[in-house]
Amino acid sequence: MEASFRKGGKMLLAGNGGSAADCEHVVGELMKGFMSPRKLPASEREKMLIHGEEGAYIADRLQGALPAISLVSQSALATAYINDVAADMVFAQQVYGYGRPEDTLVVFSTSGNSANVVRAVQVAKSLGLATIGLTGQGGGRLKELCDVTVRVPYAGTPDIQERHLPIYHALCMMLEEAFFG
């Protein structure tokens, strides 16, 4: 993840149900201050000041961001794609459209077998993206497909999802420390 951001890449995230909510949560932690303030560097602040007092207001309220996109948030695209093309390809299409080799795809699947998540990883691998999966103890298909698979040692969906949260919080804290001190 850190290497992707250092190369100017972004994070794409996908999952279903509670895992979709986790995707949104991660985006919230990366796109604004999480554990520490992320004031704009002086050079970025200066760019905003072309707008006078309003520019100062803007500069004082913008925060450093690590670019992250939750693929579950694209409701019009997702519902159209599910209806018109194929439900199992809804995230794959977005990875194809948004993904670049410097990006990382992070997927959540308690079973590791969610078809739409698996397809997204397959497309990401074809395009050269780094892939990370968070799953339950078995890991499913994702354990073989992803570059890194974090398998929590539980089988029940609620137990797995409860353990994913501290893992991604720790990762977000580590990224924030790496980029914002």
Side-chain angles (χ1 to χ4, degrees), residues 27-48:
V27 169
E29 309 302 22
L30 295 178
M31 289 291 293
K32 62 164 196 57
F34 175 34
M35 298 300 292
S36 60
R38 299 183 188 175
K39 294 186 183 283
L40 293 186
S43 61
E44 292 296 311
R45 182 177 173 72
E46 284 297 314
K47 293 176 185 176
M48 301 303 146

Side-chain angles (χ1 to χ4, degrees), residues 53-145:
E53 287 182 31
E54 289 179 339
Y57 175 89
I58 293 167
D60 290 342
R61 284 156 185 83
L62 285 176
Q63 299 180 5
L66 294 172
I69 301 171
S70 172
L71 303 181
V72 306
S73 298
Q74 315 299 317
S75 60
L77 169 61
T79 56
Y81 210 83
I82 289 165
N83 186 63
D84 299 345
V85 183
D88 68 331
M89 293 295 294
V90 66
F91 298 138
Q93 179 63 35
Q94 293 178 77
V95 169
Y96 181 73
Y98 292 128
R100 301 294 175 262
E102 63 274 10
D103 298 339
T104 297
L105 173 66
V106 176
V107 295
F108 293 84
S109 172
T110 58
S111 69
N113 292 315
S114 299
N116 57 2
V117 171
V118 167
R119 296 277 183 259
V121 171
Q122 290 170 322
V123 170
K125 299 293 287 182
S126 297
L127 298 176
L129 280 71
T131 56
I132 300 171
L134 281 84
T135 71
Q137 67 186 4
R141 292 194 63 201
L142 293 179
K143 77 179 175 197
E144 303 301 326
L145 287 171

